[in-house]
Amino acid sequence: MSNFVLQIQDLDELGKDWSFPLSTGWLSATLADTGLRAGTEDGQLQIHAQLSGQDVLLQGHLDAGLLTQCARCLADVPLDVHLDITSLLSPEHMRPAAAEGDEVEVSLDGPNRDYYAGGQIILDPMVREHLLLEVPMKPLCSEDCKGIDVPEHLQPPEEVFGSATVDARLAPLLKLKKELSEE
C-alpha cells in the first residue's frame, strides 16, 4: 500500500501543496532490506506539485532521522536527512522507447525526469531512493573511531604483520625518502 499519493486531477498550473508524515513504521518497513533503520522520531515530506502541460513538476523537502551501523566499530550512527527534492514527471506514454542494446544517455545537467501512469503519482519509491542515496558509503560514528577492540589473546603475533625490520627490497625507496626529507 502506498502512503504518498498525489492525484493528477487535483493539480493545475498553480500547483498544490501536500505534507506527509514519514512515520517510523513506514521507514522501518521501507528500509527493512537495507542497513538502515528508522530513528526515534517521525520525519516529514513536504511536496509542491504543479502541472506544466502534461508534465508534473515536483518540488519539496524531506526530513528524516535514520540509524545505521558504524563501518568500523558497528555502533549505531544517527543520520539526519534534510534534502530538497526536485523532479519532473511525464506521462508513461511519453517515455522514449529504447531498443535492445541501446545505451541510456545520462546527463547531469538535465532535470531528474521520471514517468507516471494513470491518474495518480505514487511517491513512495522516490522517497525511498532519495533516503538511500543520502547515506554515506562508510558511515562512521566519529572520524577518529578506532574500530572494534580485539582482545590481546586474539591478536595475531607481531611477525604476521611484519616486524620493525624493513624488507631489503624496499631499501632504495627508504633511501630516497630520507634524501627527499633532508632537502
Side-chain angles (χ1 to χ4, degrees):
M1 183 177 139
S2 302
N3 286 11
F4 316 124
V5 179
L6 309 180
Q7 301 297 329
I8 300 294
Q9 67 193 20
D10 294 342
L11 299 177
D12 58 19
E13 289 79 22
L14 296 176
K16 184 175 177 184
D17 294 320
W18 279 270
S19 183
F20 299 104
L22 290 174
S23 70
T24 55
W26 182 86
L27 288 168
S28 295
T30 301
L31 303 172
D33 61 340
T34 69
L36 297 172
R37 298 182 314 279
T40 56
E41 296 182 15
D42 290 348
Q44 189 73 26
L45 171 65
Q46 297 172 337
I47 290 288
H48 176 81
Q50 67 187 61
L51 281 177
S52 177
Q54 289 184 323
D55 295 337
V56 176
L57 176 63
L58 297 177
Q59 294 175 312
H61 190 78
L62 173 67
D63 292 310
L66 306 174
L67 291 173
T68 190
Q69 285 185 333
C70 176
R72 293 183 188 156
C73 69
L74 306 180
D76 281 343
V77 177
L79 300 172
D80 291 325
V81 177
H82 305 286
L83 180 65
D84 290 325
I85 296 173
T86 301
S87 187
L88 184 64
L89 293 97
S90 298
E92 184 65 40
H93 70 273
M94 295 178 69
R95 183 187 300 259
E100 190 172 320
D102 281 354
E103 290 186 26
V104 176
E105 186 176 324
V106 177
S107 169
L108 296 176
D109 296 332
N112 181 5
R113 184 179 295 267
D114 208 350
Y115 298 89
Y116 67 91
Q120 57 187 7
I121 298 172
I122 299 172
L123 300 176
D124 296 44
M126 182 182 72
V127 171
R128 181 182 192 274
E129 179 181 359
H130 278 83
L131 288 172
L132 291 175
L133 289 173
E134 283 300 302
V135 177
M137 291 184 74
K138 293 195 177 208
L140 299 175
C141 58
S142 69
E143 288 297 322
D144 58 342
C145 178
K146 302 282 189 216
I148 298 173
D149 287 329
V150 179
E152 191 173 320
H153 70 282
L154 295 177
Q155 293 179 358
E158 188 176 315
E159 56 268 7
V160 171
F161 292 115
S163 60
T165 61
V166 177
D167 187 340
R169 295 172 288 183
L170 297 177
L173 289 175
L174 287 175
K175 182 180 175 186
L176 178 62
K177 178 183 175 188
K178 182 179 178 184
E179 289 173 4
L180 291 175
S181 63
E182 289 175 356
E183 291 179 4

